Structures are given as C-alpha cells and as structure tokens.
Amino acid sequence: MEMRPLGRTGVQVSKLCLGTMMFGDWGTKDHDESIKIIHRALDAGINFVDTADVYSQGESEEIVGKALRGRRDDIVLATKFFMPFDDDPNHRGGSRRWIMRSVEDSLRRLGTDHIDLYQVHRWDPAVDLDETLGALTDLVRAGKIRYFGHSTYPASTIVEAQWVAEKRGRERFVTEQPPYNILVRNIENEVLPVAQRYGLGVIPYSPLAGGWLSGRYRKDSQDGPMSEARKRLAARFDLSLPENQRKLDAAEQLARLADDAGLTLVQLAIAFVLRHPAITAPIIGPRTMDHLESQLAAADVELSADVLDRIDAIVPPGLTINPAENGWVSPSLQPSARRR
C-alpha cells in the first residue's frame, strides 16, 4: 500500500488508517474476531492504527494491544484522550492532571511503553492551550509519546496552538483529525488550508459518513443505527430529521454516480477523501471482515475530473448537509448561549 508522509514528522504511514472504534462493546464484541480484522488490515499493508481511550471504555485499546503483540515496532500507533469516563469532572478534558493519568492508563491497556501519536479528542476553550501543550511536551521529552495531535479543532484554534507552542517553547501539534466525507465538507473552507499552511498531517475520520455512504440507509427503510456507537449519535442518524432525509437524497444520487463510474459507493466515498491534497490518510472503521475488504478495495481508486465535478454538483464544496456532523461547535452558537 502507498505510504504518505505524516505531516512534516518524517514518519511514513499507509494511505489508509485503521480505526478501531467498532471493536469491543460498541461494535464487534468478540475479541478474537476483532484481532483477525486488525491482522488482515496489517497484512494488506496498513501500518497506521488509531484508537481512543473512550472507545468501549478502554476495551478497544485492550484489543489493539493484544492484536499488536509481536508487531508493535512496525506500527504507527495513535490513540486519544479527553472524553469523560464517568461523572467525575476531573476524569476528562485537557488538564495536566488528566493527561498524566490518561496516558498511563492507555499505555497499560495497549501493552506498550510508548504511543506514536497522542491526540486531544476535542478542544475545550475553558482549558488553557499552554496547559495542554505543556503536559504533552513533557510526555514527548519523557519518551512516553513520540508526537501529539488534535481532533476537530477549529481553524482559529489550530493557528493559536501553533503560536502558543512557538511562544512558550513547547512541542507543537503535528496532526489534525477532523470529520470529512462527501456529505461533511465544512473543513474545506478553512481547516484544510490552515493544515496545509502549517504542514499538519490530516487523518480524517468517518469517510463513509458513519454508514450513510455504504448503502446501509435507504429512502424506503426506517431502520436506524444498530451499533451502540451509532445509537449515541442520534442527531446524525435519526431518519425522521429533515437534514438526515437530505443526506439520504444525496447518498442515493451518489450511489447512482458510483454505478455509472463502475465503482461501489464505498470506493467512491473513500477515493474522494483520498483525492484531496491536504489529506494524509482517512480512517476506515470496519466492524466486520467484509466491511474491511470493501474499504481496502478503495485504496487504489482514482476519480476522474468528471466524477469529481458530478460529486460537487450533488454536495457543493465546503457544505455539510447536517451541521451536527461538523465535530466541534462553538458554545456561542448553542441555543442556551443565544438565549442569554
């Protein structure tokens, strides 16, 4: 599989990254089956694996750790911290206190002495960027992590974080992990140009829009999300919402386009994300072996200019059909803020 540079780190990663959110209680509960899927991905040439401490409350990290035994040195291993683990307000976020505890827990679950890419799962404007950068810099210098990145940071915060790192003598963020697919194109407006300007690797999640671009959801079906992970995201999957009906309309048009191009909808969707020059490696998130095989088949697909133009006619550049899928939303845009 083709290798691509991870930003300006000098590290080379496969053009597809294996995401493991669906391994464990949120998806495939059988550990042995999950490990088989991971091994198949590695055998296919994937050397980049992404997980998070919150996925199935740490179970995904445990599965990944077992799967990588004997192969760890050949894998670029990424995980994330930030999301709440319980009701304790200190068991979450980007504080030094929580980062130092989270990294030790992740190292233990993953069965490794270092993490290649440690990522902040979300931005919290209530936490000083220098607080987070200082803790992550100390972890790099202690050898517990090699690099660090962020996920769903708005463009203005990406710039601010780079400035704070330079001003305070910290290590800098080297990657961004945003949502990106044909139905969710908001990051084309600012995030991707800013990432290119600062030389960040971009490893977008949900290239299949959580299944919307796999053919799973159809206009004549009322079936909603089946997995525990999807049930946690009702705003994105409730078929009664008008914005999700618009996603169905777009997905059906895209399915016809894929058929005209001699591709599956899965291949069209992943190839679209791979095509953008700012993208390093989209994160595929299979739950079954069949899912993985269908997604691996997209790795070498090249979309013609005509196909790309037809995609733009269905979902214009920079548009997200359902804004709930943009990742981070400014607190000032929340209904509670508008009422004050």
Side-chain angles (χ1 to χ4, degrees):
M1 185 175 292
E2 176 192 338
M3 294 287 154
R4 293 180 169 183
L6 184 64
R8 295 175 182 162
T9 64
V11 175
Q12 297 288 315
V13 295
S14 51
K15 67 190 296 186
L16 294 178
C17 175
L18 179 67
T20 64
M21 185 178 77
M22 302 306 295
F23 299 149
D25 188 59
W26 289 7
T28 303
K29 296 177 172 58
D30 186 317
H31 284 207
D32 289 339
E33 181 61 22
S34 297
I35 290 169
K36 287 179 183 178
I37 296 169
I38 295 171
H39 285 172
R40 168 65 184 120
L42 303 186
D43 292 341
I46 289 179
N47 77 337
F48 195 13
V49 178
D50 177 79
T51 184
D53 57 4
V54 75
Y55 295 164
S56 297
Q57 295 298 99
E59 189 180 2
S60 172
E61 287 187 326
E62 293 173 357
I63 292 169
V64 170
K66 288 189 286 187
L68 296 187
R69 287 175 187 165
R71 306 179 74 161
R72 171 68 185 91
D73 290 344
D74 298 325
I75 303 304
V76 178
L77 178 59
T79 191
K80 299 181 284 293
F81 69 93
F82 185 90
M83 297 300 192
F85 258 66
D86 52 39
D87 294 332
D88 189 320
N90 289 316
H91 291 173
R92 66 191 71 184
S95 70
R96 171 178 289 272
R97 185 178 189 273
W98 181 238
I99 290 170
M100 294 304 181
R101 173 172 170 178
S102 294
V103 74
E104 296 296 342
D105 289 344
S106 287
L107 288 168
R108 173 178 48 80
R109 287 189 292 261
L110 290 164
T112 187
D113 63 357
H114 72 280
I115 294 162
D116 295 300
L117 179 63
Y118 200 41
Q119 302 158 97
V120 189
H121 215 146
R122 292 292 184 271
W123 177 52
D124 182 353
V127 179
D128 189 343
L129 277 169
D130 190 54
E131 168 87 2
T132 301
L133 280 166
L136 293 171
T137 296
D138 287 347
L139 291 178
V140 170
R141 294 172 181 173
K144 294 188 177 183
I145 66 176
R146 299 295 187 254
Y147 307 97
F148 54 83
H150 41 58
S151 178
T152 69
Y153 269 33
S156 60
T157 306
I158 294 174
V159 174
E160 183 183 0
Q162 295 287 316
W163 181 88
V164 170
E166 181 177 349
K167 189 73 173 179
R168 303 289 178 84
R170 309 298 194 188
E171 298 289 326
R172 72 183 191 98
F173 290 110
V174 300
T175 58
E176 159 63 6
Q177 185 180 137
Y180 185 49
N181 55 69
I182 299 175
L183 305 180
V184 181
R185 301 184 62 173
N186 177 261
I187 64 168
E188 293 173 346
N189 294 307
E190 292 186 296
V191 169
L192 291 182
V194 166
Q196 287 181 294
R197 188 180 311 155
Y198 285 97
L200 301 181
V202 180
I203 47 177
Y205 66 86
S206 203
L208 299 181
W212 291 91
L213 297 177
S214 70
R216 181 184 308 168
Y217 306 118
R218 312 296 299 183
K219 290 287 286 185
D220 57 357
S221 173
Q222 293 303 309
D223 293 336
M226 303 304 293
S227 73
E228 288 301 316
R230 300 293 179 247
K231 290 176 182 177
R232 295 165 182 263
L233 304 169
R236 293 170 52 186
F237 293 95
D238 185 343
L239 298 184
S240 69
L241 297 177
E243 51 268 43
N244 290 335
Q245 285 294 310
R246 290 194 291 272
K247 285 162 55 179
L248 284 176
D249 290 336
E252 294 204 351
Q253 294 178 66
L254 291 164
R256 290 193 292 271
L257 170 56
D259 190 57
D260 291 345
L263 302 170
T264 66
L265 181 55
V266 169
Q267 289 173 322
L268 179 79
I270 294 175
F272 169 82
V273 177
L274 279 166
R275 177 68 174 73
H276 197 289
I279 299 301
T280 304
I283 299 171
I284 57 172
R287 182 172 52 84
T288 68
M289 191 68 79
D290 286 344
H291 290 168
L292 174 64
E293 296 295 348
S294 69
Q295 293 166 32
L296 288 173
D300 297 320
V301 172
E302 294 285 342
L303 300 182
S304 68
D306 175 64
V307 170
L308 292 169
D309 288 343
R310 291 178 64 185
I311 290 173
D312 288 349
I314 296 169
V315 183
L319 175 70
T320 293
I321 295 177
N322 181 350
E325 299 188 83
N326 277 332
W328 184 86
V329 178
S330 170
S332 65
L333 300 180
Q334 301 290 350
S336 59
R338 294 197 295 268
R339 287 195 294 267
R340 288 199 294 269

